[in-house]
Amino acid sequence: MHPEQEFQAFLEQGKFMLQRSRSSGAYVFYPRIAEPVTGAIDLEWVEASGRGTVYSTTVIRQKPPKTDYNLALIDLQEGPRLMSRVQSVPPVDVKIGMRVRAVIVREEDRALVVFEPAS
Amino acid sequence: MSAEAFPSGAAAVVGAATFGIGTSPGFNSFDLAAHASIRALAQAGLTPRDVDGLAIVVMDDTMGVLNFAEYLGIHPRYVDNTRTGGSSFQLHAANAAYALAAGRCDVVLIAYGSDQRSAAGKLVSSSRPSPWESPYRPLRPISSYALAAARHMHEFGTTKRQLGEVAIAARRWAQLNPEATMRGELTMEDYLAVRMVADPFGARDCCLVTDGAAAVVMVRAERARELNPGAAYVLGAAHETTHREIAQMASLTVSGTAAAARRAFALAGVTPADIDVVELYDAFTINTILFLEEMGFCDRGAGGRFVSDGAIAPGGILPVNTNGGGLSCVHPGMYGLFTLVEASQQIMGVCEARQVAGAELAISHGNGGELSSEGVLVLGNADAATRRRKSGAG
């Protein structure tokens, strides 16, 4: 398994995948070659539900004409946390505890997981 | 876990100095570190010739200890180039205490220098970019600490004004330190009016970008008594590493400082209530609040209230960051060694206008990465070290 390459290859096909240990059932993100702590090398790829909750959020402020943007930590329903951003709402309106869902966008010629408010 | 046989009180800081705080054009990182080193050695009547143990990290050279040994013209028996970011120096001091106790060397010099303000004008990163974070354009390290601050506010009701209390306390201490970079008046109104950088942080929540160097000299206790009657003895030391990237930190309101402090206090045989002065790594205002909680100076979540009403400013109930800290004194890429210099100088009683009267026990804390790797040292004067040795520690 080549964790980073395979994750990105799935993403380019429109699939947001997580690793899961066959023995423990625990999900792993970011992708790696063994489950943290146990060292189990029985990781398999499974599709993420895409559901998550904002764990923390900030607004990166920029001098005009550049625009402010959101940066957030998202707790996935499966357990792992990742850095991302919440879009399609003003950055200041992203709140801790907000339910979000993953969408895949293209940026700088690569697929990227970002989030939008659920509902 | 095995019981740790730390040589409590067996090694001491006999020289502690800074150099070039603020802007020092024309010097590279090693020039600055050498200036601080020679000053620190001179306080103990030593020169580079006497140094047989050397610890240094710099931002721009992964093998800095080799270059610095060469620069000083020495062939050290013991070297430490361990890099954990801003907490490297607490680790170096802990390792030095063991190395001295084991007889691996007799005089350890721990140094740091950076010309980042003059050379780059901004914080110089010494880490590889993360493929999992970089696409989202984080403003590292500011945004990582901003996320921690936002979470602390959410969980405990910590306020922007309480963050401001930290910045203002640091500035008031800086006003007593002629070396400090930022000594102008800072009111709450000033603080609140500053532009935002990454919510909830404005510019005054963030550490300075300066040049500067620091150095300490450590020897065994027997020699310390001869070289410097004011020496600062290392009574306890501990380190805890938890993650690298902020998304991998289990809880943004619990760093490794809690575990490190618990172990360091136990090794030193003291409690937070015994401590006279605290020098902690305030890269951002939230750090001071979080680390005071984690070291046990107040309850978890109560840090914002604890720092209010000037409690950590001059004349307050607990002197914290008496040099002005990373927020108002100096932050040349990594600040960790400056907390050890200031804690040592407070024990030595040489801090003049900002001296904490009768300081016998001090904390030097270091923070590395993004709340990633935390080090805590408990320092004491000769009396405290004697008490500790008699109690059978180490």
Side-chain angles (χ1 to χ4, degrees):
Chain A
M1 181 175 278
H2 300 94
E4 193 179 330
Q5 288 172 18
E6 290 178 32
F7 175 83
Q8 192 62 35
F10 280 123
L11 213 55
E12 300 295 338
Q13 298 163 25
K15 289 181 177 169
F16 172 24
M17 303 292 276
L18 297 173
Q19 291 173 310
R20 184 175 61 190
S21 163
R22 287 188 180 88
S23 51
S24 75
Y27 291 83
V28 175
F29 189 90
Y30 52 88
R32 53 198 100 178
I33 63 101
E35 184 185 34
V37 184
T38 64
I41 52 170
D42 58 357
L43 298 175
E44 59 181 345
W45 291 106
V46 291
E47 193 155 12
S49 70
R51 285 191 283 273
T53 306
V54 175
Y55 176 72
S56 193
T57 179
T58 183
V59 182
I60 311 276
R61 304 288 181 160
Q62 303 208 99
K63 287 179 186 146
K66 292 187 193 166
T67 54
D68 299 346
Y69 59 93
N70 176 259
L71 183 76
L73 297 177
I74 308 298
D75 280 345
L76 299 175
Q77 179 178 278
E78 289 86 352
R81 181 178 301 155
L82 75 165
M83 179 172 283
S84 187
R85 69 164 185 264
V86 180
Q87 62 179 36
S88 80
V89 285
V92 291
D93 290 345
V94 179
K95 302 294 180 194
I96 292 175
M98 183 182 271
R99 304 262 178 196
V100 291
R101 63 179 182 85
V103 293
I104 297 171
V105 296
R106 285 201 76 76
E107 237 171 61
E108 294 182 355
D109 208 30
R110 57 177 281 176
L112 187 67
V113 177
V114 301
F115 289 80
E116 294 181 345
S119 77
Chain B
M1 198 182 294
S2 58
E4 183 171 351
F6 184 75
S8 185
V13 175
V14 290
T18 58
F19 180 83
I21 284 176
T23 308
S24 296
F27 293 116
N28 67 34
S29 296
F30 293 118
D31 295 330
L32 293 166
H35 264 299
S37 297
I38 287 162
R39 281 186 177 181
L41 287 163
Q43 288 171 14
L46 302 171
T47 68
R49 179 194 313 282
D50 302 302
V51 175
D52 63 353
L54 183 64
I56 188 170
V57 294
V58 290
M59 300 295 282
D60 50 1
D61 182 357
T62 54
M63 285 194 286
V65 76
L66 307 186
N67 277 300
F68 199 53
E70 177 187 279
Y71 187 117
L72 294 176
I74 60 173
H75 297 180
R77 292 194 278 163
Y78 168 82
V79 292
D80 192 348
N81 201 175
T82 313
R83 306 165 72 94
T84 63
S87 61
S88 303
F89 315 94
Q90 282 65 34
L91 197 54
H92 295 170
N95 291 347
Y98 278 112
L100 288 163
R104 288 184 66 185
C105 51
D106 298 324
V107 176
V108 179
L109 171 65
I110 306 174
Y112 178 73
S114 171
D115 61 348
Q116 66 160 28
R117 183 186 177 104
S118 296
K122 63 185 173 73
L123 182 69
V124 175
S125 175
S126 57
S127 296
R128 69 178 184 135
S130 159
W132 310 110
E133 299 200 346
S134 297
Y136 303 104
R137 297 184 291 149
L139 193 61
R140 293 177 77 174
I142 298 173
S143 52
S144 299
Y145 288 88
L147 289 163
R151 188 70 200 179
H152 202 278
M153 294 166 110
H154 173 79
E155 287 186 25
F156 304 117
T158 306
T159 66
K160 175 75 175 164
R161 293 182 82 90
Q162 290 169 342
L163 298 176
E165 293 269 8
V166 171
I168 291 164
R171 183 60 59 86
R172 287 185 54 206
W173 282 111
Q175 288 168 338
L176 300 177
N177 179 6
E179 270 203 309
T181 303
M182 297 284 275
R183 304 185 67 217
E185 185 73 12
L186 179 67
T187 66
M188 185 61 80
E189 289 66 35
D190 298 334
Y191 166 82
L192 293 171
V194 169
R195 72 183 167 86
M196 292 293 258
V197 177
D199 301 20
F201 289 164
R204 294 283 84 81
D205 291 288
C206 305
C207 61
L208 307 173
V209 174
T210 67
D211 298 330
V216 302
V217 179
M218 288 176 61
V219 299
R220 280 183 290 278
E222 314 83 79
R223 193 147 178 222
R225 283 190 286 275
E226 295 166 21
L227 295 181
N228 187 342
Y233 293 76
V234 183
L235 305 183
H239 210 94
E240 184 90 355
T241 294
T242 50
H243 62 279
R244 174 63 187 94
E245 298 181 358
I246 201 69
Q248 298 294 318
M249 184 175 179
S251 162
L252 289 195
T253 58
V254 183
S255 81
T257 294
R262 224 165 21 245
R263 288 189 277 121
F265 278 124
L267 292 169
V270 300
T271 68
D274 300 319
I275 300 298
D276 300 303
V277 54
V278 178
E279 310 297 343
L280 58 77
Y281 198 127
D282 61 338
F284 299 91
T285 48
I286 188 63
N287 295 33
T288 302
I289 289 172
L290 182 60
F291 298 145
L292 286 172
E293 291 175 11
E294 295 199 81
M295 288 193 276
F297 292 100
C298 61
D299 290 338
R300 177 164 144 76
R305 294 189 297 283
F306 182 79
V307 302
S308 295
D309 305 319
I312 62 169
I317 56 172
L318 181 68
V320 176
N321 293 355
T322 51
N323 58 352
L327 292 170
S328 277
C329 178
V330 58
H331 196 289
M334 294 193 281
Y335 171 70
L337 192 52
F338 293 86
T339 77
L340 180 50
V341 168
E342 181 70 8
S344 300
Q345 291 187 346
Q346 285 287 348
I347 297 286
M348 292 173 184
V350 298
C351 289
E352 301 182 346
R354 67 185 190 280
Q355 178 64 43
V356 174
E360 289 191 6
L361 288 167
I363 297 293
S364 159
H365 165 270
N367 160 71
E370 290 159 356
L371 299 169
S372 311
S373 187
E374 311 293 309
V376 177
L377 302 173
V378 181
L379 303 176
N381 67 2
D383 291 345
T386 303
R387 282 198 299 275
R388 187 64 187 143
R389 284 193 299 269
K390 280 182 181 160
S391 74

